[in-house]
């Protein structure tokens, strides 16, 4: 067992409200299976007597918080960040597909995966639902690297058997064989999970989507990840290709791809009926504000999502997204929440933004109580944050008179410099 004394941020498991202990204690120890979990968390003075003899590392002056959960990111697009293009479809064609075509080479995939996981750690991200490329070797490289680092991590080989250039286009039958082999090889190994990954409806034939839906029914606890309703040209194209479906989201529903643990990036140009279908089926949105701002895709409608009761959380969507940093993503989400705001007050509070990138994201992924929080029983993934990481942050956080003011200073001014340590699986 090991304990840490610092300020401590957690979230109420029911309401999602932030819980803050100025002088807190976090106690980590093995569970019955030998996995490092939170044994206790709360006020130092109230807890310390229960743990005589346990080594306590003194981190007073710093803030311990749950490791961030990124609901949607593309590891093969690490080198695509900041690519200038007119919008989503030209961006895919001109930059993304050419970059992704290199991932049939295992050595290239491994090198990028290593850099990617280093970057996640530097930014305090401890769990990510991640796209690989259409090459099975790309998913294998990411799984191998994540396993070596002890991460809770999900990915899958991308499915795209049409409207894709040579080098990334796969073959219908083989793509489904490879997906099932990936599920059997990786899903549930250590902390890894498989995600069935149709890129988006326009690049899959009906046969490929049907096969993906059959696998999703057969393996009900694997994840599904895709993109939907990101960009108006994309929506129009999807509807031309699937004229019998009720809507773009309806395409996925028609093929059995809306269920719990189905994660759809963007969800911008949805109807209210679509949002209600997401709520009813348990499918969730990965809100990707830096990507949507960079590619000019539009603004996620938080109020409409809440009215429908659909679940969502935050995502970087690197390389459409412009930063690995959860702080950059939370700030962009705040700005997006301001757009179209009709009610008075803050659109999103700092506590809500932080929850959406930790416990809220975990809940949306079906990992409630597993990651994204520091309540007893949660896996021991956390970050140590330095509120004085820059001169301006030191000045600002010293003046914070409330938790909201402290968290907002970190969200607005913070980046990788704030993350002084990232702990995964207790290490
Ligand atoms: N839609 C289909 N593929 C992609 C992708 O790689 N990035 C984004 N942002 N949208 C997509
Ligand atoms: Zn994406």
């Amino acid at each position: 067992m090991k304990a840490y004394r610092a300020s401590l941020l957690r979230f109420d498991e029911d309401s999602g409200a932030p819980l803050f202990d100025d002088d807190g204690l976090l106690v980590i120890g093995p569970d019955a299976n030998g996995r490092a979990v939170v044994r206790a968390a709360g006020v130092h003075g109230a807890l310390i007597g229960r743990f005589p003899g346990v080594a306590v590392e003194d981190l007073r002056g710093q803030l311990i918080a749950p490791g961030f959960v990124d609901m949607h990111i593309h590891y093969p697009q690490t080198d695509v960040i900041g690519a200038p293009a007119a919008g989503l479809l030209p961006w895919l064609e001109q930059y993304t597909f050419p970059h992704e075509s290199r991932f049939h080479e295992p050595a290239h995939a491994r090198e990028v995966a290593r850099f990617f996981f280093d970057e996640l750690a530097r930014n305090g991200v401890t769990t990510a639902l991640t796209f690989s490329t259409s090459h099975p070797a790309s998913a294998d490289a990411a799984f191998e690297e994540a396993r070596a680092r002890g991460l809770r991590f999900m990915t899958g080989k991308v499915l795209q058997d049409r409207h894709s250039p040579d080098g990334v286009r796969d073959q219908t039958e083989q793509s489904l064989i490879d997906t099932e082999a990936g599920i059997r090889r990786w899903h549930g190994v250590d902390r890894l999970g498989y995600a069935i990954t149709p890129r988006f409806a326009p690049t899959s034939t009906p046969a490929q989507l049907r096969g993906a839906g059959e696998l999703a029914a057969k393996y009900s606890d694997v994840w599904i990840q895709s993109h939907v309703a990101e960009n108006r040209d994309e929506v129009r194209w999807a509807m031309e290709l699937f004229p019998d479906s009720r809507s773009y989201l309806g395409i996925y529903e028609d093929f059995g791809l809306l269920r719990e643990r189905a994660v759809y990036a963007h969800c911008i140009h949805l109807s209210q009926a679509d949002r209600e279908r997401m709520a009813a089926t348990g499918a969730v949105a990965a809100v990707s504000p830096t990507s949507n701002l960079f590619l000019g895709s539009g603004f996620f409608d938080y109020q409409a999502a809440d009215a429908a009761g659909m679940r969502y959380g935050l995502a970087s969507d690197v390389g459409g997204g412009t930063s690995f940093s959860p702080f950059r993503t939370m700030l962009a989400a705040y700005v997006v929440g301001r757009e179209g705001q009709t009610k008075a007050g803050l659109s999103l509070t700092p506590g809500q933004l932080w929850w959406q990138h930790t416990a809220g994201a975990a809940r949306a992924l079906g990992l409630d109580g597993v990651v994204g929080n520091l309540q007893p029983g949660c896996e021991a993934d956390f970050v140590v944050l330095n509120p004085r990481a820059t001169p301006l942050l030191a000045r600002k956080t010293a003046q914070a008179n409330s938790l909201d003011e402290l968290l907002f200073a970190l969200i607005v001014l913070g980046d990788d410099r704030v993350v002084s340590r990232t702990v995964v699986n207790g290490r």
Side-chain angles (χ1 to χ4, degrees), residues 75 108-118 141-142 145 149:
Y75 98 81
H108 179 66
R110 267 196 303 276
E111 189 276 324
V112 178
R114 286 193 187 120
F115 185 92
F116 170 83
F117 286 114
D118 285 349
E145 197 57 35
R149 295 171 190 236

Side-chain angles (χ1 to χ4, degrees), residues 341-354:
Q341 179 184 352
T342 54
K343 64 176 190 211
L346 291 179
S347 55
L348 294 160
T349 65
Q352 286 169 332
L353 291 162
W354 209 295

Side-chain angles (χ1 to χ4, degrees), residues 250-265:
I251 301 167
Y252 297 119
E253 181 157 32
D254 291 345
F255 289 104
L257 293 165
L258 295 191
R259 63 152 165 74
E260 301 274 336
R261 292 195 171 191
V263 181
Y264 286 88

Side-chain angles (χ1 to χ4, degrees), residues 184-426:
R184 289 173 179 270
R185 178 166 178 200
W186 293 113
H187 189 69
V189 172
D190 294 342
R191 301 176 77 198
L192 307 177
Y194 198 90
I196 299 168
T197 307
R199 177 162 217 119
F200 63 159
T203 51
S204 284
T205 59
Q208 192 175 49
L209 292 179
R210 192 170 305 112
E214 285 165 6
L215 289 171
K218 182 170 173 186
Y219 299 98
S220 59
D221 68 339
V222 309
W223 281 266
I224 300 166
Q225 58 177 347
S226 192
H227 299 90
V228 74
E230 176 176 6
N231 163 291
R232 293 197 185 281
D233 293 334
E234 170 218 16
V235 174
R236 203 173 307 116
W237 189 25
M239 292 317 297
E240 280 165 22
L241 292 167
F242 296 92
D244 297 335
S245 288
R246 182 183 59 75
S247 66
Y248 185 178
L249 185 83
I251 301 167
Y252 297 119
E253 181 157 32
D254 291 345
F255 289 104
L257 293 165
L258 295 191
R259 63 152 165 74
E260 301 274 336
R261 292 195 171 191
V263 181
Y264 286 88
H266 310 301
C267 297
I268 293 172
H269 307 285
L270 294 182
S271 68
Q272 204 55 10
D274 286 332
R275 296 186 182 94
E276 284 162 8
R277 288 312 297 152
M278 291 193 71
T281 57
V284 301
V287 181
S288 306
T290 74
S291 173
N292 299 153
L293 293 170
F294 182 72
L295 291 173
S297 302
F299 302 90
F300 182 78
D301 189 335
Y302 277 98
Q303 290 177 70
D306 289 342
M310 68 186 261
R311 282 177 300 165
Y312 53 81
L314 286 176
S316 66
D317 192 31
V318 160
T322 47
S323 176
F324 278 83
S325 175
F327 296 100
R328 296 275 70 83
T329 302
M330 290 189 285
L331 177 58
Y334 178 71
V335 171
V336 164
R338 281 297 209 191
E339 176 73 25
Q341 179 184 352
T342 54
K343 64 176 190 211
L346 291 179
S347 55
L348 294 160
T349 65
Q352 286 169 332
L353 291 162
W354 209 295
W355 180 82
Q356 287 176 27
H357 224 336
T358 54
R363 176 179 294 182
L365 289 173
L367 292 172
D368 214 11
V370 179
V371 292
N373 209 343
L374 292 174
Q375 300 290 16
C378 288
E379 295 175 350
D381 293 349
F382 61 92
V383 289
V384 182
L385 304 178
N386 178 7
R388 294 176 310 284
T390 70
L392 182 56
L393 261 167
R395 188 179 169 91
K396 244 335 254 184
T397 56
Q399 296 176 48
N401 289 313
S402 65
L403 180 59
D404 270 4
E405 289 182 9
L406 173 66
L407 297 183
F408 232 152
L410 290 164
I411 289 170
V412 172
L413 299 174
D415 54 32
D416 52 316
R417 290 170 294 181
V418 169
V419 181
S420 55
R421 194 187 303 182
T422 299
V423 176
V424 167
N425 204 17

